[in-house]
Amino acid sequence: MYYPRKLRNDFRITGFIPAIICLSLGALIWLFIGRREGYLSVSIFFILYSLFSFWIYFRTRNQSYLAASTWQFLFGIYISTSSSYPVIKGVDPKISGLLIFLFLSSTVWLFYLVFTRKAKWKGREVFELASVSIEPQPDGFTERPRPAGKTDYTRSELTGFAEFLKKNLVAMPYYEVNRIVFVPVKMEEEFGYIFNPAKFKESRSWIAFDFQGNVTVNVSKRDYIGYKEELSFDQLCDNLGKLFIEFMRYYRKGEEERILYKLNELGLGLTT
């Protein structure tokens, strides 16, 4: 189903910057020091970056980061053994063959997760869905939380719901004394959350579920001005709360895959 896009386009390439820097440095080292040293620098970078990806996997439990970590590690090993000027010499052909097989398998695995949107942070989809039924109506931004309704769930269901949204990159949960706060994260914003989650929360929208069933919403100015036109602020907050209440109902009925279907149905780009 097609919905008119209400968010502004985002052309940031934050996620590609580490790879661009790595390959640029590798090329410079190759030119000014030597080919073998260039391969070595790129190999070391990818192996180290695989540890970073595994750390993100540990924090999110999202399978795409495990796949990325595996691919990066194997790629780093591959280019250090299979280049014209190998950093590691004398590798047994059987081991080289196994390495190539594992590398190609991890490539297929990673591409599958990317193209099935399992590697996509879905904050943009959340904000698009929240604005679907809202017409332009400049009634002013108000920087205050709004009650968004009440729904039923147990504490264990809320915790499970939080883990599901985190694992599927829909929203990242912050666990507080009497509630769990969900912060939708858009593509290209994930590093801000990963490196400084407490600071990230301060300037982002959130949806809070307390342990008594009350739902509260706060839409940040940063996210509000991300829309092409001024929308009814009260209705936007109300819709965002209702959207997450609907997600919770799906989860409680064991139909959590409907949440992902609803988000993926928008058909937004894989890197936006």
Side-chain angles (χ1 to χ4, degrees):
M1 184 179 297
Y2 174 77
Y3 298 99
R5 305 291 181 246
K6 294 188 177 180
L7 288 172
R8 301 178 191 276
N9 293 326
D10 190 343
F11 299 107
R12 288 176 294 175
I13 57 169
T14 309
F16 296 101
I17 289 176
I20 292 171
I21 292 174
C22 163
L23 295 175
S24 299
L25 288 175
L28 290 173
I29 292 172
W30 183 336
L31 287 173
F32 294 104
I33 300 178
R35 183 179 298 187
R36 185 173 180 273
E37 288 75 13
Y39 280 123
L40 176 62
S41 64
V42 173
S43 173
I44 291 173
F45 174 86
F46 272 93
I47 291 172
L48 292 177
Y49 200 72
S50 72
L51 299 177
F52 174 68
S53 295
F54 186 79
W55 176 60
I56 301 178
Y57 164 72
F58 183 76
R59 295 195 60 178
T60 64
R61 298 300 179 181
N62 178 264
Q63 197 177 78
S64 68
Y65 284 101
L66 179 60
S69 176
T70 303
W71 185 90
Q72 290 155 359
F73 179 78
L74 291 171
F75 181 72
I77 298 296
Y78 174 75
I79 62 174
S80 69
T81 59
S82 304
S83 64
S84 300
Y85 293 83
V87 177
I88 303 173
K89 299 180 181 180
V91 178
D92 188 283
K94 291 182 180 179
I95 295 177
S96 296
L98 177 62
L99 180 61
I100 292 172
F101 172 77
L102 293 174
F103 173 65
L104 292 176
S105 298
S106 69
T107 302
V108 172
W109 182 26
L110 183 57
F111 271 75
Y112 166 76
L113 294 173
V114 169
F115 284 103
T116 54
R117 299 179 181 272
K118 298 181 186 298
K120 186 180 192 317
W121 292 83
K122 301 174 182 66
R124 193 173 185 86
E125 283 83 348
V126 166
F127 288 108
E128 286 284 10
L129 280 178
S131 67
V132 164
S133 61
I134 307 177
E135 296 299 325
Q137 183 182 338
D139 58 3
F141 169 79
T142 305
E143 199 161 346
R144 70 177 190 278
R146 284 176 49 87
K150 189 177 177 70
T151 189
D152 297 322
Y153 48 81
T154 65
R155 184 176 296 206
S156 62
E157 286 174 334
L158 180 58
T159 302
F161 180 60
E163 290 302 307
F164 174 81
L165 295 187
K166 178 178 71 171
K167 183 178 180 180
N168 289 281
L169 308 182
V170 177
M172 297 305 295
Y174 291 76
Y175 295 86
E176 298 183 355
V177 175
N178 64 340
R179 65 180 188 172
I180 298 179
V181 179
F182 300 96
V183 178
V185 182
K186 301 173 187 174
M187 289 292 288
E188 308 301 335
E189 292 183 351
E190 63 270 25
F191 290 110
Y193 168 79
I194 294 298
F195 284 116
N196 197 346
K199 183 69 176 177
F200 183 84
K201 177 187 171 187
E202 293 177 7
S203 59
R204 297 304 194 282
S205 304
W206 49 261
I207 306 93
F209 286 64
D210 70 20
F211 297 139
Q212 286 72 49
N214 300 301
V215 181
T216 309
V217 172
N218 180 70
V219 174
S220 70
K221 186 172 184 179
R222 179 190 185 110
D223 290 321
Y224 183 68
I225 64 176
Y227 288 101
K228 297 175 182 178
E229 300 177 277
E230 286 190 70
L231 304 176
S232 169
F233 182 77
D234 289 347
Q235 193 176 353
L236 181 62
C237 291
D238 189 53
N239 283 9
L240 189 57
K242 287 179 178 177
L243 180 65
F244 271 70
I245 288 173
E246 181 183 23
F247 287 172
M248 171 58 85
R249 288 172 181 161
Y250 282 144
Y251 179 80
R252 293 190 71 212
K253 291 190 295 183
E255 299 176 356
E256 54 267 31
E257 289 302 316
R258 288 182 177 269
I259 299 172
L260 304 181
Y261 176 80
K262 193 176 183 71
L263 293 166
N264 292 335
E265 188 182 27
L266 287 169
L268 299 186
L270 297 174
T271 59
T272 60

